[in-house]
Amino acid sequence: MNKNKRIAIIGAGPGGLTLARILQKAGFNPVIFEGEKSATQREQGGTLDLTEDMGQKALKVAGLLEQFKEICRYEGEALKVMDKTATVLYEDGPSVNAAHTTSRPEIDRKVLRQMLLDSVNPEAIVWGHKILYASSLENGQHELHFENGATEIVDLVVGADGAFSKLRPLVSKETVEYSGISMIEINILDAKNQFPDIVELNGLGSVLALDDYKGMIAQMNGDGKIRVYLSFKAPKEWLHNNGINYENLEEAKPELLKIFEDWSPELKKYIHYANGSIFPRLIYMLPVGHKWENKKGITLLGDAAHLMSPFAGAGVNLAMLDAAELAQSIINHDDMHEAIYNYELKMLEYAGELAAETKENMDLFFEINAAEKLSEVMKSHHVEEL
Ligand SMILES: Cc1cc2nc3c(=O)[nH]c(=O)nc-3n(C[C@H](O)[C@H](O)[C@H](O)COP(=O)(O)OP(=O)(O)OC[C@H]3O[C@@H](n4cnc5c(N)ncnc54)[C@H](O)[C@@H]3O)c2cc1C
């Protein structure tokens, strides 16, 4: 019986936590090994939308959907697509379109993680255990080696350890590669109270302002902050050789404004008003359709399995869906190897399809006349939906 097996989940991100929650609910005793020392060591990032067919589906299996519905933000679904003149070419969302049928409510990543953390038996999370590598033993078990010197032998190890997974090399030769897109993240704290004009422009959801192979991707967060990803199609070296001082926002602002010199003054307010952290981000991805041969005693989920760029909002949704699929497969199969095999068969197919869609979006966002082209795509999707 799988219930007696020792299951280690590496990583307490949304994927790892969802898996632990569902398994615990079914009477299993998985252990999560997390590299960070505590739940608050790192800032948890922006807002995410959870789709009905992925993130919300997983929450339903986890018995957390009703709780999510009480705290999510339906108004956060609002979306505006603009060009560099701030002309709105496409607008959608609950307040704009009464016939809007999809449901992708937003939740701040921090709030989602806390909800998942609260749902898991705290004794099952071992903080401050950063895995360095694992080795496969002849009997299908794995020996885990942690940075702090600890070692563990387990029957199943699940790599839910994100983009730079230390478990991935055990099943695949592929490594993450730079996607061709760089981002500079800036934040407008308390925009809701301090900068009503930018809130008016932004609305309560997201803005995709795209032109000239670059973009301003802005999202209203639940705490009234607007997080802006200034995004660029650029060689990898550019992000750190462009002379921008990421240690000093005020020094960085004139450089950022120069890059967006001929963009509308309305859009440039995203930079003028920035008053929070500034952070450079290289966007990495795994090859589209990344696959591996099934192996005894080990599997991957989420970013570890199929890291993709954020341009379809799929990452967190997939990580949670993978967790639900894997948990159900473990629960419903007496043989652990068969459970992993069936999960991987299904997951690698749906993740491959979404990776291809995400790559198409990424290419579209950074084409010439991107806003116009994206708006046309959105309008045709909307007609299909109706
Ligand atoms: C700029 C940006 C914007 C994004 N926006 C969206 C969006 O709008 N919608 C969306 O769905 N997705 C978005 N994503 C993607 C999303 O954040 C990820 O896909 C999602 O968090 C993946 O979940 P995960 O559980 O697989 O991995 P992670 O969330 O990365 O969690 C991995 C966990 O493993 C831990 N860990 C890492 N290494 C080790 C180790 N060696 N030992 C032990 N523990 C380890 C980490 O500390 C972490 O807690 C965005 C990503 C980026 C970069």
mmCIF file of all heavy atoms in Angstrom, residues 344-379:
data_model
loop_
_atom_site.group_PDB
_atom_site.id
_atom_site.type_symbol
_atom_site.label_atom_id
_atom_site.label_comp_id
_atom_site.label_asym_id
_atom_site.label_seq_id
_atom_site.Cartn_x
_atom_site.Cartn_y
_atom_site.Cartn_z
ATOM 1 N N GLU A 344 2.520 10.879 -15.070
ATOM 2 C CA GLU A 344 3.431 11.511 -16.040
ATOM 3 C C GLU A 344 2.860 11.476 -17.455
ATOM 4 O O GLU A 344 2.991 12.444 -18.206
ATOM 5 C CB GLU A 344 4.819 10.848 -15.983
ATOM 6 C CG GLU A 344 5.565 11.209 -14.711
ATOM 7 C CD GLU A 344 6.932 10.549 -14.589
ATOM 8 O OE1 GLU A 344 7.287 9.712 -15.440
ATOM 9 O OE2 GLU A 344 7.642 10.858 -13.607
ATOM 10 N N LEU A 345 2.221 10.353 -17.783
ATOM 11 C CA LEU A 345 1.626 10.221 -19.119
ATOM 12 C C LEU A 345 0.646 11.366 -19.381
ATOM 13 O O LEU A 345 0.683 12.034 -20.409
ATOM 14 C CB LEU A 345 0.891 8.870 -19.182
ATOM 15 C CG LEU A 345 0.606 8.293 -20.545
ATOM 16 C CD1 LEU A 345 1.915 7.937 -21.238
ATOM 17 C CD2 LEU A 345 -0.254 7.026 -20.403
ATOM 18 N N LYS A 346 -0.212 11.611 -18.420
ATOM 19 C CA LYS A 346 -1.247 12.645 -18.550
ATOM 20 C C LYS A 346 -0.629 14.050 -18.470
ATOM 21 O O LYS A 346 -0.876 14.908 -19.307
ATOM 22 C CB LYS A 346 -2.236 12.436 -17.396
ATOM 23 C CG LYS A 346 -3.547 13.143 -17.559
ATOM 24 C CD LYS A 346 -4.520 12.599 -16.516
ATOM 25 C CE LYS A 346 -5.807 13.405 -16.518
ATOM 26 N NZ LYS A 346 -6.714 12.989 -15.463
ATOM 27 N N MET A 347 0.197 14.256 -17.450
ATOM 28 C CA MET A 347 0.748 15.584 -17.185
ATOM 29 C C MET A 347 1.630 16.076 -18.330
ATOM 30 O O MET A 347 1.535 17.225 -18.753
ATOM 31 C CB MET A 347 1.529 15.541 -15.864
ATOM 32 C CG MET A 347 2.177 16.829 -15.465
ATOM 33 S SD MET A 347 3.809 17.090 -16.186
ATOM 34 C CE MET A 347 4.782 15.915 -15.288
ATOM 35 N N LEU A 348 2.496 15.186 -18.839
ATOM 36 C CA LEU A 348 3.425 15.641 -19.879
ATOM 37 C C LEU A 348 2.663 16.069 -21.129
ATOM 38 O O LEU A 348 3.087 16.974 -21.840
ATOM 39 C CB LEU A 348 4.461 14.554 -20.192
ATOM 40 C CG LEU A 348 5.467 14.307 -19.057
ATOM 41 C CD1 LEU A 348 6.319 13.071 -19.340
ATOM 42 C CD2 LEU A 348 6.362 15.515 -18.806
ATOM 43 N N GLU A 349 1.495 15.470 -21.344
ATOM 44 C CA GLU A 349 0.722 15.861 -22.524
ATOM 45 C C GLU A 349 0.069 17.234 -22.328
ATOM 46 O O GLU A 349 0.239 18.131 -23.147
ATOM 47 C CB GLU A 349 -0.325 14.803 -22.844
ATOM 48 C CG GLU A 349 -0.971 15.127 -24.173
ATOM 49 C CD GLU A 349 -1.985 14.112 -24.618
ATOM 50 O OE1 GLU A 349 -1.929 12.952 -24.180
ATOM 51 O OE2 GLU A 349 -2.858 14.513 -25.419
ATOM 52 N N TYR A 350 -0.661 17.421 -21.206
ATOM 53 C CA TYR A 350 -1.330 18.727 -21.076
ATOM 54 C C TYR A 350 -0.335 19.856 -20.860
ATOM 55 O O TYR A 350 -0.520 20.970 -21.334
ATOM 56 C CB TYR A 350 -2.472 18.720 -20.049
ATOM 57 C CG TYR A 350 -2.115 18.474 -18.589
ATOM 58 C CD1 TYR A 350 -1.325 19.369 -17.860
ATOM 59 C CD2 TYR A 350 -2.609 17.367 -17.917
ATOM 60 C CE1 TYR A 350 -1.035 19.156 -16.520
ATOM 61 C CE2 TYR A 350 -2.325 17.138 -16.579
ATOM 62 C CZ TYR A 350 -1.534 18.034 -15.884
ATOM 63 O OH TYR A 350 -1.244 17.830 -14.555
ATOM 64 N N ALA A 351 0.754 19.570 -20.161
ATOM 65 C CA ALA A 351 1.756 20.626 -19.935
ATOM 66 C C ALA A 351 2.440 21.004 -21.251
ATOM 67 O O ALA A 351 2.729 22.184 -21.493
ATOM 68 C CB ALA A 351 2.792 20.163 -18.916
ATOM 69 N N GLY A 352 2.660 20.010 -22.116
ATOM 70 C CA GLY A 352 3.279 20.284 -23.413
ATOM 71 C C GLY A 352 2.412 21.216 -24.244
ATOM 72 O O GLY A 352 2.907 22.151 -24.877
ATOM 73 N N GLU A 353 1.091 20.973 -24.201
ATOM 74 C CA GLU A 353 0.177 21.835 -24.968
ATOM 75 C C GLU A 353 0.225 23.262 -24.439
ATOM 76 O O GLU A 353 0.285 24.229 -25.196
ATOM 77 C CB GLU A 353 -1.265 21.313 -24.865
ATOM 78 C CG GLU A 353 -1.505 20.097 -25.741
ATOM 79 C CD GLU A 353 -2.820 19.401 -25.438
ATOM 80 O OE1 GLU A 353 -3.694 19.998 -24.777
ATOM 81 O OE2 GLU A 353 -2.957 18.233 -25.853
ATOM 82 N N LEU A 354 0.232 23.408 -23.125
ATOM 83 C CA LEU A 354 0.256 24.759 -22.547
ATOM 84 C C LEU A 354 1.598 25.463 -22.758
ATOM 85 O O LEU A 354 1.660 26.683 -22.911
ATOM 86 C CB LEU A 354 -0.053 24.704 -21.062
ATOM 87 C CG LEU A 354 -1.495 25.079 -20.757
ATOM 88 C CD1 LEU A 354 -1.856 24.704 -19.347
ATOM 89 C CD2 LEU A 354 -1.731 26.569 -20.959
ATOM 90 N N ALA A 355 2.664 24.671 -22.775
ATOM 91 C CA ALA A 355 3.991 25.268 -23.019
ATOM 92 C C ALA A 355 4.039 25.839 -24.433
ATOM 93 O O ALA A 355 4.594 26.926 -24.659
ATOM 94 C CB ALA A 355 5.078 24.217 -22.827
ATOM 95 N N ALA A 356 3.419 25.129 -25.377
ATOM 96 C CA ALA A 356 3.407 25.620 -26.765
ATOM 97 C C ALA A 356 2.584 26.903 -26.859
ATOM 98 O O ALA A 356 2.985 27.880 -27.514
ATOM 99 C CB ALA A 356 2.840 24.541 -27.682
ATOM 100 N N GLU A 357 1.441 26.927 -26.166
ATOM 101 C CA GLU A 357 0.580 28.114 -26.172
ATOM 102 C C GLU A 357 1.302 29.310 -25.531
ATOM 103 O O GLU A 357 1.252 30.431 -26.020
ATOM 104 C CB GLU A 357 -0.686 27.776 -25.385
ATOM 105 C CG GLU A 357 -1.834 28.729 -25.604
ATOM 106 C CD GLU A 357 -3.015 28.338 -24.720
ATOM 107 O OE1 GLU A 357 -3.487 27.179 -24.821
ATOM 108 O OE2 GLU A 357 -3.438 29.166 -23.927
ATOM 109 N N THR A 358 1.998 29.031 -24.439
ATOM 110 C CA THR A 358 2.732 30.094 -23.744
ATOM 111 C C THR A 358 3.820 30.675 -24.642
ATOM 112 O O THR A 358 4.021 31.888 -24.696
ATOM 113 C CB THR A 358 3.364 29.517 -22.446
ATOM 114 O OG1 THR A 358 2.310 29.076 -21.594
ATOM 115 C CG2 THR A 358 4.186 30.540 -21.714
ATOM 116 N N LYS A 359 4.518 29.810 -25.354
ATOM 117 C CA LYS A 359 5.587 30.256 -26.246
ATOM 118 C C LYS A 359 5.002 31.131 -27.373
ATOM 119 O O LYS A 359 5.556 32.175 -27.721
ATOM 120 C CB LYS A 359 6.317 29.025 -26.812
ATOM 121 C CG LYS A 359 7.325 29.298 -27.900
ATOM 122 C CD LYS A 359 8.603 29.909 -27.332
ATOM 123 C CE LYS A 359 9.752 29.951 -28.298
ATOM 124 N NZ LYS A 359 9.526 30.668 -29.545
ATOM 125 N N GLU A 360 3.832 30.715 -27.889
ATOM 126 C CA GLU A 360 3.168 31.515 -28.935
ATOM 127 C C GLU A 360 2.830 32.900 -28.396
ATOM 128 O O GLU A 360 3.034 33.904 -29.062
ATOM 129 C CB GLU A 360 1.855 30.848 -29.352
ATOM 130 C CG GLU A 360 1.981 29.933 -30.539
ATOM 131 C CD GLU A 360 0.657 29.257 -30.846
ATOM 132 O OE1 GLU A 360 -0.408 29.891 -30.755
ATOM 133 O OE2 GLU A 360 0.706 28.044 -31.158
ATOM 134 N N ASN A 361 2.292 32.941 -27.167
ATOM 135 C CA ASN A 361 1.964 34.232 -26.550
ATOM 136 C C ASN A 361 3.207 35.085 -26.397
ATOM 137 O O ASN A 361 3.198 36.280 -26.685
ATOM 138 C CB ASN A 361 1.372 34.022 -25.151
ATOM 139 C CG ASN A 361 -0.101 33.726 -25.186
ATOM 140 O OD1 ASN A 361 -0.675 33.578 -26.253
ATOM 141 N ND2 ASN A 361 -0.711 33.633 -24.027
ATOM 142 N N MET A 362 4.277 34.464 -25.927
ATOM 143 C CA MET A 362 5.514 35.222 -25.706
ATOM 144 C C MET A 362 5.982 35.844 -27.025
ATOM 145 O O MET A 362 6.331 37.026 -27.076
ATOM 146 C CB MET A 362 6.590 34.302 -25.131
ATOM 147 C CG MET A 362 7.867 35.027 -24.789
ATOM 148 S SD MET A 362 9.048 33.916 -24.015
ATOM 149 C CE MET A 362 9.821 33.215 -25.444
ATOM 150 N N ASP A 363 5.953 35.073 -28.082
ATOM 151 C CA ASP A 363 6.384 35.595 -29.380
ATOM 152 C C ASP A 363 5.475 36.744 -29.818
ATOM 153 O O ASP A 363 5.934 37.764 -30.310
ATOM 154 C CB ASP A 363 6.394 34.486 -30.437
ATOM 155 C CG ASP A 363 7.452 33.431 -30.130
ATOM 156 O OD1 ASP A 363 8.363 33.729 -29.324
ATOM 157 O OD2 ASP A 363 7.373 32.311 -30.669
ATOM 158 N N LEU A 364 4.180 36.572 -29.589
ATOM 159 C CA LEU A 364 3.200 37.582 -29.991
ATOM 160 C C LEU A 364 3.391 38.893 -29.212
ATOM 161 O O LEU A 364 3.333 39.980 -29.787
ATOM 162 C CB LEU A 364 1.795 37.018 -29.752
ATOM 163 C CG LEU A 364 0.592 37.899 -30.055
ATOM 164 C CD1 LEU A 364 0.537 38.218 -31.540
ATOM 165 C CD2 LEU A 364 -0.706 37.189 -29.652
ATOM 166 N N PHE A 365 3.635 38.789 -27.913
ATOM 167 C CA PHE A 365 3.776 39.980 -27.068
ATOM 168 C C PHE A 365 4.931 40.868 -27.529
ATOM 169 O O PHE A 365 4.929 42.063 -27.282
ATOM 170 C CB PHE A 365 4.061 39.577 -25.610
ATOM 171 C CG PHE A 365 2.838 39.217 -24.807
ATOM 172 C CD1 PHE A 365 1.740 38.623 -25.403
ATOM 173 C CD2 PHE A 365 2.797 39.443 -23.440
ATOM 174 C CE1 PHE A 365 0.624 38.267 -24.664
ATOM 175 C CE2 PHE A 365 1.688 39.104 -22.689
ATOM 176 C CZ PHE A 365 0.606 38.512 -23.298
ATOM 177 N N PHE A 366 5.936 40.251 -28.133
ATOM 178 C CA PHE A 366 7.131 41.032 -28.474
ATOM 179 C C PHE A 366 7.335 41.133 -29.981
ATOM 180 O O PHE A 366 8.448 41.264 -30.457
ATOM 181 C CB PHE A 366 8.349 40.453 -27.743
ATOM 182 C CG PHE A 366 8.179 40.547 -26.247
ATOM 183 C CD1 PHE A 366 7.656 39.487 -25.528
ATOM 184 C CD2 PHE A 366 8.458 41.726 -25.574
ATOM 185 C CE1 PHE A 366 7.433 39.580 -24.157
ATOM 186 C CE2 PHE A 366 8.245 41.834 -24.201
ATOM 187 C CZ PHE A 366 7.730 40.759 -23.491
ATOM 188 N N GLU A 367 6.213 41.091 -30.715
ATOM 189 C CA GLU A 367 6.253 41.329 -32.173
ATOM 190 C C GLU A 367 6.034 42.807 -32.430
ATOM 191 O O GLU A 367 5.636 43.549 -31.540
ATOM 192 C CB GLU A 367 5.073 40.584 -32.828
ATOM 193 C CG GLU A 367 5.381 39.199 -33.273
ATOM 194 C CD GLU A 367 4.197 38.595 -34.019
ATOM 195 O OE1 GLU A 367 3.377 39.346 -34.579
ATOM 196 O OE2 GLU A 367 4.107 37.374 -34.004
ATOM 197 N N ILE A 368 6.204 43.191 -33.691
ATOM 198 C CA ILE A 368 5.852 44.560 -34.074
ATOM 199 C C ILE A 368 4.317 44.642 -34.076
ATOM 200 O O ILE A 368 3.639 43.652 -34.390
ATOM 201 C CB ILE A 368 6.493 44.922 -35.447
ATOM 202 C CG1 ILE A 368 6.522 46.428 -35.640
ATOM 203 C CG2 ILE A 368 5.877 44.201 -36.621
ATOM 204 C CD1 ILE A 368 7.638 47.098 -34.902
ATOM 205 N N ASN A 369 3.764 45.773 -33.651
ATOM 206 C CA ASN A 369 2.307 45.956 -33.511
ATOM 207 C C ASN A 369 1.681 44.892 -32.612
ATOM 208 O O ASN A 369 0.580 44.392 -32.876
ATOM 209 C CB ASN A 369 1.589 45.927 -34.870
ATOM 210 C CG ASN A 369 1.992 47.103 -35.730
ATOM 211 O OD1 ASN A 369 2.364 48.151 -35.199
ATOM 212 N ND2 ASN A 369 1.970 46.929 -37.025
ATOM 213 N N ALA A 370 2.372 44.558 -31.548
ATOM 214 C CA ALA A 370 1.937 43.461 -30.679
ATOM 215 C C ALA A 370 0.550 43.707 -30.081
ATOM 216 O O ALA A 370 -0.276 42.794 -30.034
ATOM 217 C CB ALA A 370 2.957 43.257 -29.571
ATOM 218 N N ALA A 371 0.303 44.936 -29.626
ATOM 219 C CA ALA A 371 -0.970 45.207 -28.943
ATOM 220 C C ALA A 371 -2.138 44.974 -29.893
ATOM 221 O O ALA A 371 -3.162 44.381 -29.508
ATOM 222 C CB ALA A 371 -0.979 46.641 -28.417
ATOM 223 N N GLU A 372 -1.971 45.436 -31.133
ATOM 224 C CA GLU A 372 -3.039 45.285 -32.121
ATOM 225 C C GLU A 372 -3.280 43.791 -32.404
ATOM 226 O O GLU A 372 -4.419 43.319 -32.393
ATOM 227 C CB GLU A 372 -2.585 45.988 -33.393
ATOM 228 C CG GLU A 372 -3.715 46.485 -34.245
ATOM 229 C CD GLU A 372 -3.133 47.198 -35.462
ATOM 230 O OE1 GLU A 372 -2.305 48.128 -35.281
ATOM 231 O OE2 GLU A 372 -3.482 46.785 -36.573
ATOM 232 N N LYS A 373 -2.175 43.083 -32.613
ATOM 233 C CA LYS A 373 -2.305 41.656 -32.939
ATOM 234 C C LYS A 373 -2.911 40.877 -31.761
ATOM 235 O O LYS A 373 -3.784 40.040 -31.947
ATOM 236 C CB LYS A 373 -0.944 41.069 -33.311
ATOM 237 C CG LYS A 373 -0.470 41.555 -34.677
ATOM 238 C CD LYS A 373 0.902 41.019 -34.998
ATOM 239 C CE LYS A 373 1.428 41.627 -36.266
ATOM 240 N NZ LYS A 373 2.878 41.499 -36.408
ATOM 241 N N LEU A 374 -2.444 41.192 -30.549
ATOM 242 C CA LEU A 374 -2.966 40.495 -29.370
ATOM 243 C C LEU A 374 -4.465 40.781 -29.209
ATOM 244 O O LEU A 374 -5.251 39.879 -28.896
ATOM 245 C CB LEU A 374 -2.193 40.922 -28.114
ATOM 246 C CG LEU A 374 -2.672 40.304 -26.811
ATOM 247 C CD1 LEU A 374 -2.486 38.794 -26.810
ATOM 248 C CD2 LEU A 374 -1.931 40.904 -25.603
ATOM 249 N N SER A 375 -4.849 42.037 -29.437
ATOM 250 C CA SER A 375 -6.263 42.412 -29.303
ATOM 251 C C SER A 375 -7.119 41.612 -30.275
ATOM 252 O O SER A 375 -8.210 41.151 -29.909
ATOM 253 C CB SER A 375 -6.455 43.906 -29.577
ATOM 254 O OG SER A 375 -5.699 44.626 -28.649
ATOM 255 N N GLU A 376 -6.631 41.445 -31.491
ATOM 256 C CA GLU A 376 -7.387 40.663 -32.478
ATOM 257 C C GLU A 376 -7.564 39.223 -31.989
ATOM 258 O O GLU A 376 -8.643 38.656 -32.058
ATOM 259 C CB GLU A 376 -6.664 40.649 -33.845
ATOM 260 C CG GLU A 376 -6.702 41.989 -34.579
ATOM 261 C CD GLU A 376 -8.104 42.586 -34.653
ATOM 262 O OE1 GLU A 376 -9.035 41.834 -34.969
ATOM 263 O OE2 GLU A 376 -8.259 43.793 -34.358
ATOM 264 N N VAL A 377 -6.472 38.665 -31.460
ATOM 265 C CA VAL A 377 -6.546 37.280 -30.944
ATOM 266 C C VAL A 377 -7.562 37.200 -29.802
ATOM 267 O O VAL A 377 -8.415 36.303 -29.746
ATOM 268 C CB VAL A 377 -5.158 36.799 -30.466
ATOM 269 C CG1 VAL A 377 -5.251 35.457 -29.770
ATOM 270 C CG2 VAL A 377 -4.179 36.720 -31.636
ATOM 271 N N MET A 378 -7.490 38.173 -28.890
ATOM 272 C CA MET A 378 -8.396 38.173 -27.722
ATOM 273 C C MET A 378 -9.850 38.285 -28.179
ATOM 274 O O MET A 378 -10.724 37.602 -27.649
ATOM 275 C CB MET A 378 -8.092 39.365 -26.813
ATOM 276 C CG MET A 378 -6.705 39.355 -26.243
ATOM 277 S SD MET A 378 -6.611 38.229 -24.893
ATOM 278 C CE MET A 378 -5.713 39.100 -23.721
ATOM 279 N N LYS A 379 -10.088 39.164 -29.163
ATOM 280 C CA LYS A 379 -11.471 39.350 -29.632
ATOM 281 C C LYS A 379 -11.990 38.052 -30.248
ATOM 282 O O LYS A 379 -13.122 37.655 -30.005
ATOM 283 C CB LYS A 379 -11.526 40.482 -30.679
ATOM 284 C CG LYS A 379 -11.522 41.867 -30.041
ATOM 285 C CD LYS A 379 -11.473 42.959 -31.104
ATOM 286 C CE LYS A 379 -11.008 44.264 -30.480
ATOM 287 N NZ LYS A 379 -10.476 45.220 -31.447
#
